[in-house]
Structure formats: structure tokens, C-alpha cells
Amino acid sequence: MTTPIEYADASPQVRAVYDDIKKTRNVADVNNFWKYLARDPATLKRTWESVKEIMAPGALDPLVKEMIYLAVSVTNGCPYCIASHTFAARKAGMTEAMHCEVMAVVGMANETNRLVTAYRVPVDPAFE
């Protein structure tokens, strides 16, 4: 079993990424996700740079992005990601009613996606 890399035990390259995460997110410490990725400093750096770019405000605001991330995490069955992105979405303004609606949409989309797949429903020409 792998172990997390704590700041005190991190290489200078890992500490630089940790410092950027802490500064960008205004947190005292990095999440476990980053501590485990730090076993491979190149993956840690690449993943952080991608997350920082993709989750930054853009055409979609941060709350919408977090709710999308949450929906995908539920669909993929990732407990860590569900917890992390539920927390982040709530911090960005997701209400309980919004959370319930997101979960309802996720459930419905998964059900209908599986029905379409099972019945091999062809795409309507109007949708192409």
C-alpha cells in the first residue's frame, strides 16, 4: 500500500506544487489526493496544472464546474471525488435543493443511458 507524501518529507519539486495548491486554494494543507499523487512528482505537477486550468472560471462558473465534476464522480463511483467535489460545490454556493436536483439528473441520465444502450437505440437523424 502506498503512503502519502507529507510536506516535511517532500522533494523540492513536490513542495513547489504543494505551495501552489495551498496558495491557489487558500488552504493550510493539501488534500490526500495530492499527497498520494506526489509519489510520482511528474503526475502530481501535470494533474495540478490541468485541474487548475480546467476548474478556473471560464464560460462556466466554478459552481457549475464543481456540480459537473460531482455528477461525473457519482457516475464513476469514486467516493473520494464525491466527497471532495460535494464539499467544493457547497463552498461555491450549491444549496441542498441544487444537490438534490443534480443527484436526480445523474440518476435519470444513468438510467436512460443504460436503457438506450441495452435497446441499441439508433440516434435520430434530427440529433445529428
Side-chain angles (χ1 to χ4, degrees):
M1 182 172 167
T2 59
T3 56
I5 304 294
E6 298 296 337
Y7 191 90
D9 303 318
S11 69
Q13 298 88 344
V14 169
R15 283 186 182 189
V17 175
Y18 283 5
D19 288 340
D20 191 35
I21 293 169
K22 293 191 295 186
K23 179 182 172 195
T24 301
R25 293 191 166 169
N26 193 28
V27 293
D29 196 11
V30 299
N31 295 336
N32 282 338
F33 175 71
W34 304 111
K35 292 177 182 180
Y36 279 79
L37 282 188
R39 307 290 309 166
D40 181 353
T43 298
L44 171 69
K45 181 177 173 47
R46 183 183 67 250
T47 304
W48 168 242
E49 292 299 326
S50 293
V51 166
K52 187 167 63 168
E53 179 182 342
I54 297 299
M55 297 306 285
L60 299 175
D61 69 43
L63 174 57
V64 171
K65 289 183 178 191
E66 288 296 343
M67 292 191 317
I68 291 168
Y69 213 120
L70 172 59
V72 172
S73 298
V74 168
T75 296
N76 287 332
C78 178
Y80 185 92
C81 297
I82 293 167
S84 172
H85 292 283
T86 297
F87 178 85
R90 288 180 196 253
K91 188 175 175 183
M94 181 178 71
T95 65
E96 186 60 25
M98 293 165 85
H99 182 256
C100 290
E101 273 191 51
V102 168
M103 294 302 103
V105 170
V106 168
M108 181 54 52
N110 277 293
E111 178 183 350
T112 58
N113 285 192
R114 281 165 178 72
L115 288 170
V116 165
T117 300
Y119 284 111
R120 299 180 181 181
V121 178
V123 176
D124 295 81
F127 298 154
E128 300 213 11

